[in-house]
């Protein structure tokens, strides 16, 4: 899940439900819902890049 790379996201332990890591769906909301979604995605991207760098160039 994308939000596992967000250091501010909730920590989900083994066997716990992962739905708390879902990206908020802004489709039927207003502009703020889209802003919140973008914030969640942007918060995880640095972690994704760091993971890829570590994986591709150990």
């Amino acid at each position: 899940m994308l939000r596992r790379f967000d250091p501010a996201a909730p920590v989900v332990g083994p066997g716990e439900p992962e739905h708390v890591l879902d990206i908020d769906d802004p489709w039927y909301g207003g502009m703020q819902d889209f802003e919140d979604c973008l914030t969640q995605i942007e918060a995880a991207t640095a972690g994704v890049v760091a993971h890829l760098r570590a994986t591709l160039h150990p």
Side-chain angles (χ1 to χ4, degrees):
M1 302 203 123
L2 179 64
R3 290 199 63 214
R4 284 196 182 272
F5 293 98
D6 176 359
V11 176
V12 177
E16 293 181 349
E18 293 186 344
H19 66 86
V20 295
L21 295 175
D22 291 349
I23 299 288
D24 292 336
D25 182 1
W27 189 253
Y28 292 105
M31 184 55 74
Q32 186 59 50
D33 296 308
F34 283 90
E35 293 289 334
D36 293 343
C37 179
L38 178 61
T39 299
Q40 291 175 333
I41 292 169
E42 289 177 338
T45 56
V48 171
V49 171
H51 174 75
L52 290 173
R53 283 185 176 146
T55 301
L56 298 174
H57 301 288

